[in-house]
Every structure is written in C-alpha cells, then in structure tokens.
Amino acid sequence: MTSMRVVVDLTKCEGYAQCAFLAPEAFRMVGDEALMFDPAPPDELQEKVLRAAAACPVQALQVDMADLPTPPPTATVSADGDDRLRHEGRIVIVGASLAGLKAAEQLRAEGFTGKLTMIGDEPEEPYDRPPLSKQVQTGWAASADTTLPRRRDIAADWKLGVAATGLDLEHNFVTLADGQHVGFDRLLIATGVRARPWFVPEEAGLDGVFTIRTRADATGLRERLLAKPRRVLVIGSGFTGSEMASVCVELGIPVTVAEAGPAPLAGALGGVIGRIAADIMREHGVDLRVNTRVDSLQGEDGRLRRALLSDGTTLDVDVAVVALGGIRNVEWLQGSNLAVGMWGVACDAGCRAFDANGLVTDDVFVAGDVARQPQPMFGYQFLAMEHWGNSVTQAQVAAHNMISGKTDRWPHLEVSAFWSLQFGNNIKSVGVPVIADQIAITQGSVDKRQFVAAYGYKGRVVGAVAWNQGKWLDFYEKLIEQAAPFPPPYDMTNPPADPTPVPAEFPAMTYPGRDATVVVTGHDPSERRATLVRGRR
Ligand SMILES: Cc1cc2nc3c(=O)[nH]c(=O)nc-3n(C[C@H](O)[C@H](O)[C@H](O)COP(=O)(O)OP(=O)(O)OC[C@H]3O[C@@H](n4cnc5c(N)ncnc54)[C@H](O)[C@@H]3O)c2cc1C
C-alpha cells in the first residue's frame, strides 16, 4: 500500500485549525488562517490525519479512500438515461490531472460501470499543482509526494506518458502520439494549460530559467533554490510570481520582481488591491520593479548570469522564474471542428462542447482550466476560470451530464473561488473581480492586513477578495449569486474606516461586461438553477 495521500480543498477551508490541533505534524497554520499541509504524511500519522479529516468543520480535507470497500453509487439514475451507456459504454478522458481524476471519480460514484480510459501526456498519476509554488519550494513537502488522493477506485485503463494528438468526431476516436486509436461513446477534454515560456527560445533554454507548472519544473526549481543563488528574478507578479517572491523571502534569497504592469496582482484584483500587494512585497524586502519589462536574459556557458531590464539596470541573477500565465492545451483539437482557440474550448452551461458552428455536441464534454463556459451570473460571458475549485466542480458536473438523461442534467453554476498564500497572508477571492468597475473596502482594516473588499459592476456585486478574512466569503458569494446591489447596503461586522467605492483600476477591460440578468437558487449541484430576473435595474 502507498503511504497516505492528502489534499485540502483550500477553497473551502476557513482556517478553523482543527487539523493543525489534531495532527500538527501534518498541518500547520501560517499567519492567522492560512493552512499548509503535508500531502503525504508518514503512515504512523494515519490515525491522527483521519481524525483531523473527520473534525474539519467544512470537510475540506480529502484523504485516500480507494483502498476501502467501494461505497454504493450516490446519485439516482434519471428515467430517460441511457442504460447501455451507463453499464457498457466507453468513456475517454484526455488530461489525467485534477479535472480528469475528479470526473472519473464522479462517473464511478454515479454508477458508471463501463470502460473508462484516462489519457495523460505526463508520466505520473494525477497530482496536485498548488503546492508546487508553495510548500514544495519552501521544503515542507516533496514534489514527488503531491499525488492526489483517490476518493474511490476508478478502475480505469491508464494511458500515461502519451499525448492525444487528434480527435475524429465523425468516427468518435482519439488518436494518440504512439499511433493508437481510442474509441469512445463520451469524451471529456480536460487538457488544462501549460506555462507560457519566456518568449526568446535561446534565452528560455538557459540553465537557471524556469517556468512552474509541472512536478518536474518544481523539482528543478527547488534544487536550484537550495543551492542558494545570488539573486532570483521573478518575471511577472500574478499569483504564481508573487508566491515565488514570497518563497524566496522565506528562504532568505534576494529576489527582484519585474512587473510590466502598475502593481502585483493588478491583472486579477485591480490597482487598488495591487498597491496593497506592492506595499507588502516591499515591506518584506522584495526588490519590486513595476512598469518594468525584462528586455533580455543573458548567460555564460549556457547558464543564466544576468538580466537586462527596461529601467536601464542590469541584474546579476542565477535563477529566473518566468510567471507569465498559461497557454491552453488545445492544439491537438485542431481539425476536430470543435470551437477551440487560444481562449480554450467553448462549452455550454452543462459542459458540452460547441462545434465551430456554435452547435452543441452531445458526446464531447469539457472541464477544468481548458474549458470556456457561459457564466449566467456574469451576463453569459464565456469565461475560462483557471482555479482549482472550478476544475473540481466543473468536472463533477460534466461527468454527471455525460451519463444522464436530458431531464436530469446539471448546469455548472459555481461562483468561482481562488486562494493564494503569500508573505504569510491568506488571500481568497470569489466571483469575477476582473469585470468590476468599482471596489469598496467593506470590512476590516487594510493597515492591519485583515480586510474584505467587494467588487461592483454597474451597481451589482460581482466579486470579493478577503485578506486574512476568508470566513466572510460565503456571505459575499451569496451576494454575487443574488446580483445584490453594490456597494452592499448592510451594517457589516467590523466596518472599515472608509467604505466609499472607488474605481477598481483594472489595467484594461479584457471582458465585455453586461448587467446580471439572473440569480442562482438551490444548494447542491443537483438543484442549483439560474432564474431569470425581470424588471430589476
Ligand atoms: C504552480 C501552481 C500553483 C497554483 N496555485 C493555485 C492556488 O493557489 N489556488 C487555485 O485555486 N489554483 C491554483 N492553481 C491552479 C490549479 O492547479 C489548476 O486550476 C488545476 O490544476 C487545473 O486542473 P486541470 O485538470 O483542468 O488542468 P491541468 O492541471 O493543467 O491538467 C491538464 C493535464 O492534461 C495534460 N495534457 C495536456 N495536453 C494533453 C494531450 N494532448 N494529451 C494528453 N494529456 C494532455 C497536461 O499535461 C496535464 O497533465 C495553481 C496552478 C499551478 C501550476
């Protein structure tokens, strides 16, 4: 038996610290409410970890259950479902990572007993990526230990280390790089994104230049950080870049962050929050250069030695972490006639892929970072949410719909949520802040680094961010679902010094915004529905 595997759904975690109290060797609080966990605690901790999982008030801890007797299917089968498909069908999942695994578990949980094939181009079983830029780099967990726990035995035919290279929708098969053809009755596309490389290939190839998306990336970077480089250059200060700057500070390594925009996190959370993030970076000794581009990376004997910046300075660096976002893995779908492009694979609210003519397919589904779905709460805009929690819920909805009849399909109506841990701060957000035009601090104190801010678009709440105040986000999630007025008109607990809304200062409006026209009702995926709202302004 492998040693125990653990993952914490940090979207759900509210920092109650029961796990850190019951199994302190495996769970550790950072700051007031952020949680760090060991994804593969030693066997002797098994009982403690199971107790911690049972005690978690929000049930955010997931541990291996695959070795336990398989529980009966959890969902009821709809009368108009296809029994042959459910019992003898062939389902192929391309992309053996978080979304792929969660979909597989859901299929088996709902009683799918047919043939399940998991295709992944990485050689490993599905593993968890968030620790790669956090506890793996600080040395609290090994990169090799991040394998995702199994909630049940998925009895799959695994084809790992081989990429899907084509999709034939006329004859329903996937072509693999080794020439195999794998036929299907239902297909799930879950190929995610890859890291955007440094844009000059010769410079990207220098020893010491890293991106961070895979386990191999994380292992290589960790080794280099252990060798105490003179200075690390982080290129880009979105979430991953900021987390890497935080890691360097924790390891005592001098770090420069070069950010082409006006502030860290400004692309995701706007300029107001970006200025707070910039202050925090500088307070921790990060050499932050905003409105600054890296012009070139230079090496000697194939190793990175220095970087030239657009502010005219030259930095001596041994390591550069390129954190410039991702590229969606859609190339293998070219020629398939699906609606794919740089924004991902378009699908309907039930995760069914669209073809190039905008017609919905019945047998091809999409989930995870590669999926681009209409968001009813945000004017039905097609948005791709590259967040852990979104991948899980979307995969579960897609899996359910793959084997359900048309009267029993679920819409994917989850309000997207994200977390990040940096400089001891637990940052969490819900909704889609990036479409906002205004922001208001609604609770707490920015100076104390404990606050919540709500985002508004045309007088409605569309998002919120919490800084070391994650427990409040459920409340804001409901406001978003109900298209509540912005700024929220409530007497908040712990009111801020100044709740006046100000411009949110997003660098450029990437998404066309529209008024919300729906509210969401229901609590679990089976009953959640969007309801059109009439006559509200
Ligand atoms: C360093 C890092 C830190 C993160 N931190 C956070 C965080 O703090 N909070 C948060 O909410 N989210 C975080 N995320 C995002 C989260 O990990 C992703 O949302 C999640 O991994 C998406 O899962 P996925 O299965 O959709 O895609 P992926 O995990 O990208 O998996 C897709 C898989 O498909 C494979 N694949 C691609 N093309 C093919 C092909 N043609 N054939 C076969 N296989 C293929 C890929 O190699 C990969 O294994 C982080 C991500 C990274 C990289």
Side-chain angles (χ1 to χ4, degrees):
M1 193 182 124
T2 53
S3 58
M4 181 177 224
R5 296 179 292 205
V6 176
V7 72
V8 182
D9 181 346
L10 290 166
T11 313
K12 281 190 186 164
C13 173
E14 294 186 0
Y16 292 105
Q18 294 295 312
C19 53
F21 175 69
L22 290 165
E25 305 89 342
F27 303 95
R28 184 165 55 122
M29 299 311 290
V30 181
D32 286 342
E33 61 172 51
L35 179 68
M36 201 77 101
F37 63 94
D38 181 350
D43 286 346
E44 60 269 24
L45 290 182
Q46 186 157 353
E47 200 178 321
K48 280 185 170 184
V49 170
L50 288 174
R51 275 177 207 268
C56 175
V58 291
Q59 292 293 288
L61 268 65
Q62 299 176 6
V63 295
D64 272 314
M65 312 268 275
D67 292 331
L68 301 176
T70 305
T74 51
T76 48
V77 181
S78 58
D80 66 343
D82 178 344
D83 264 3
R84 192 206 63 80
L85 172 77
R86 189 177 282 270
H87 298 302
E88 297 161 31
R90 299 163 305 160
I91 295 187
V92 170
I93 296 178
V94 183
S97 183
L98 178 66
L101 178 63
K102 291 296 158 190
E105 289 177 346
Q106 185 77 16
L107 285 167
R108 292 302 190 204
E110 293 203 20
F112 173 66
T113 52
K115 179 159 194 222
L116 180 59
T117 307
M118 301 281 290
I119 298 167
D121 61 359
E122 294 188 78
E124 301 103 335
E125 288 179 30
Y127 58 87
D128 200 27
R129 295 183 201 272
L132 303 183
S133 57
K134 303 177 184 72
Q135 57 266 56
V136 166
Q137 297 306 327
T138 53
W140 214 62
S143 170
D145 286 343
T146 52
T147 303
L148 283 162
R150 299 278 170 80
R151 306 293 286 160
R152 58 170 55 234
D153 179 12
I154 60 168
D157 175 16
W158 292 86
K159 296 186 187 301
L160 295 177
V162 56
T165 52
L167 171 61
D168 182 327
L169 283 181
E170 202 182 327
H171 304 100
N172 272 13
F173 66 82
V174 173
T175 308
L176 304 190
D178 62 8
Q180 286 183 73
H181 287 183
V182 187
F184 62 82
D185 300 304
R186 296 280 186 277
L187 169 70
L188 179 68
I189 297 169
T191 44
V193 307
R194 60 185 181 275
R196 185 179 298 284
W198 181 241
F199 58 90
V200 184
E202 307 81 63
E203 296 176 10
L206 287 170
D207 188 6
V209 179
F210 292 90
T211 52
I212 179 158
R213 182 82 200 171
T214 66
R215 203 178 238 181
D217 297 337
T219 306
L221 180 55
R222 168 72 184 154
E223 279 168 13
R224 212 40 81 76
L225 296 183
L226 276 178
K228 291 282 170 205
R230 292 170 296 170
R231 175 169 292 276
V232 171
L233 170 65
V234 177
I235 309 176
S237 63
F239 286 106
T240 305
S242 299
E243 287 175 4
M244 283 311 306
S246 168
V247 163
C248 291
V249 168
E250 196 172 330
L251 297 177
I253 301 169
V255 55
T256 297
V257 173
E259 167 56 54
L265 309 183
L269 296 175
V272 175
I273 297 296
R275 278 193 291 281
I276 299 167
D279 288 346
I280 291 174
M281 269 198 190
R282 291 190 171 117
E283 284 161 18
H284 283 83
V286 174
D287 171 28
L288 171 65
R289 317 267 183 107
V290 294
N291 299 312
T292 304
R293 290 178 182 279
V294 174
D295 284 338
S296 71
L297 298 173
Q298 298 185 346
E300 284 166 16
D301 303 325
R303 294 196 69 152
L304 176 68
R305 287 289 173 227
R306 69 193 72 81
L308 272 51
L309 272 51
S310 65
D311 62 7
T313 54
T314 301
L315 291 176
D316 289 331
V317 292
D318 303 319
V319 172
V321 182
V322 180
L324 297 173
I327 299 176
R328 299 200 169 81
N329 291 316
V330 294
E331 291 80 357
W332 68 283
L333 294 167
Q334 269 168 20
S336 66
N337 202 36
L338 288 181
V340 301
M342 60 178 280
W343 296 106
V345 185
C347 61
D348 74 356
C351 308
R352 295 180 301 174
F354 284 120
D355 73 12
N357 292 306
L359 301 179
V360 80
T361 54
D362 289 324
D363 39 17
V364 182
F365 292 72
V366 200
D369 283 6
V370 77
R372 192 172 162 243
Q373 195 167 50
Q375 304 285 336
M377 284 162 276
F378 306 101
Y380 291 96
Q381 294 167 75
F382 280 81
L383 301 176
M385 299 290 173
E386 293 176 22
H387 302 335
W388 197 96
N390 182 72
S391 295
V392 171
T393 54
Q394 207 169 29
Q396 289 167 339
V397 170
H400 170 84
N401 290 346
M402 283 172 119
I403 53 170
S404 295
K406 62 178 184 241
T407 59
D408 185 31
R409 289 184 192 138
W410 297 343
H412 181 238
L413 287 173
E414 201 75 7
V415 177
S416 182
F418 183 89
W419 80 88
S420 175
L421 172 57
Q422 43 189 275
F423 305 103
N425 294 290
N426 187 33
I427 306 170
K428 295 183 97 169
S429 91
V430 287
V432 186
V434 75
I435 65 170
D437 49 15
Q438 287 194 301
I439 183 171
I441 307 294
T442 47
Q443 288 179 272
S445 157
V446 171
D447 291 343
K448 289 186 185 154
R449 312 295 188 223
Q450 280 192 326
F451 65 92
V452 186
Y455 290 86
Y457 180 71
K458 290 195 176 172
R460 295 175 193 278
V461 179
V462 292
V465 61
W467 217 275
N468 299 315
Q469 290 287 291
K471 60 181 179 295
W472 293 111
L473 283 188
D474 278 355
F475 169 74
Y476 290 84
E477 186 180 319
K478 299 284 175 300
L479 297 186
I480 297 165
E481 286 186 343
Q482 297 302 313
F486 175 89
Y490 307 100
D491 288 334
M492 297 289 189
T493 308
N494 193 12
D498 183 3
T500 315
V502 294
E505 297 180 33
F506 283 98
M509 200 66 169
T510 347
Y511 301 111
R514 287 212 216 102
D515 289 342
T517 52
V518 297
V519 297
V520 176
T521 58
H523 299 287
D524 64 45
S526 63
E527 59 176 31
R528 281 167 78 84
R529 290 283 177 268
T531 309
L532 284 167
V533 185
R534 297 191 194 284
R536 287 180 63 174
R537 286 177 175 274

